Amino acid sequence: MEYLIIIISAVFVNNIVLAKFLGICPFLGVSNRVGTAVGMSAAVLFVMVLSTIVTYLLQKYVLDPFHIAYMQTIVFILVIAALVQMVETILKKISPGLYQALGIFLPLITTNCAVLGIAILTIQNDYNLMQGVVFTAANALGFGLAIIIFAGLRERLDLQGVPKGMKGFPISLIMAGLLSLAFMGFSGIVK
């Protein structure tokens, strides 16, 4: 039951993008097409889960025992950067099309505050490794859900007659706000 509460809370109630406003850059930048959003979601899921495992172990077995927890942010950023480089290399070999579609946004996962934020929140919430992985995977799924829904809305919006002054980011920001309000409807389900 505890894991179910973590999942529902992370995906719907405390969505990393729509409630905590982390990961806005890829949310707005990669959400032009659903296919690209799905690819970005998969890359973020992989990097988030892997980075949380590595950063959790570093925190518990290196930083805390040697009383250098103040190095947490620097160490976590280095780990995330290395993992993103690994994902970039793998995608270049396995799926060149997806690699080209993600373009500049794949290296931006390195600076995606959602990845770093989840790694830090896992430590701050005092989760054990399994809870941390579930929390991270649920947040990554919440990120994916938000970006895929948003990409679908943007694709449909391209077919509509939007006034010239509202095309592009202005209407996208309005839609993001409305999507955030829709997700607020889940508040109160869990803490």
Side-chain angles (χ1 to χ4, degrees):
M1 188 64 169
E2 174 185 355
Y3 292 110
L4 184 62
I5 291 172
I6 290 173
I7 292 168
I8 291 172
S9 175
V11 173
F12 298 110
V13 179
N14 297 315
N15 187 285
I16 194 76
V17 177
L18 301 173
K20 296 186 188 248
F21 306 112
L22 294 174
I24 297 295
C25 179
F27 178 71
L28 291 173
V30 187
S31 61
N32 291 330
R33 300 285 164 243
V34 172
T36 308
V38 169
M40 182 64 154
S41 300
V44 167
L45 173 68
F46 180 73
V47 170
M48 265 192 188
V49 171
L50 199 56
S51 66
T52 295
I53 292 169
V54 173
T55 56
Y56 178 88
L57 295 173
L58 282 172
Q59 181 76 34
K60 295 301 179 187
Y61 297 109
V62 176
L63 299 177
D64 288 347
F66 291 108
H67 306 291
I68 54 172
Y70 58 88
M71 298 287 292
Q72 179 188 60
T73 304
I74 294 169
V75 170
F76 285 14
I77 288 171
L78 291 173
V79 167
I80 292 166
L83 290 172
V84 168
Q85 286 298 319
M86 183 180 74
V87 169
E88 191 172 2
T89 304
I90 290 170
L91 273 181
K92 192 184 283 187
K93 298 285 184 198
I94 293 175
S95 180
L98 180 58
Y99 175 77
Q100 289 296 325
L102 291 176
I104 189 66
F105 294 103
L106 187 59
L108 285 179
I109 293 176
T110 305
T111 58
N112 185 348
C113 56
V115 178
L116 177 62
I118 291 303
I120 291 173
L121 283 172
T122 299
I123 302 299
Q124 286 179 348
N125 290 341
D126 201 28
Y127 288 137
N128 62 35
L129 185 57
M130 187 63 191
Q131 289 171 327
V133 169
V134 169
F135 174 72
T136 301
N139 272 289
L141 291 174
F143 175 85
L145 178 67
I147 197 171
I148 291 167
I149 290 172
F150 192 60
L153 289 171
R154 286 181 77 175
E155 281 185 358
R156 297 237 3 210
L157 195 62
D158 287 345
L159 304 173
Q160 304 303 314
V162 178
K164 186 177 180 182
M166 293 297 291
K167 286 188 178 185
F169 277 114
I171 195 70
S172 295
L173 292 174
I174 290 170
M175 282 191 332
L178 292 173
L179 188 58
S180 181
L181 285 172
F183 270 68
M184 278 182 61
F186 294 111
S187 63
I189 293 176
V190 293
K191 181 181 174 193

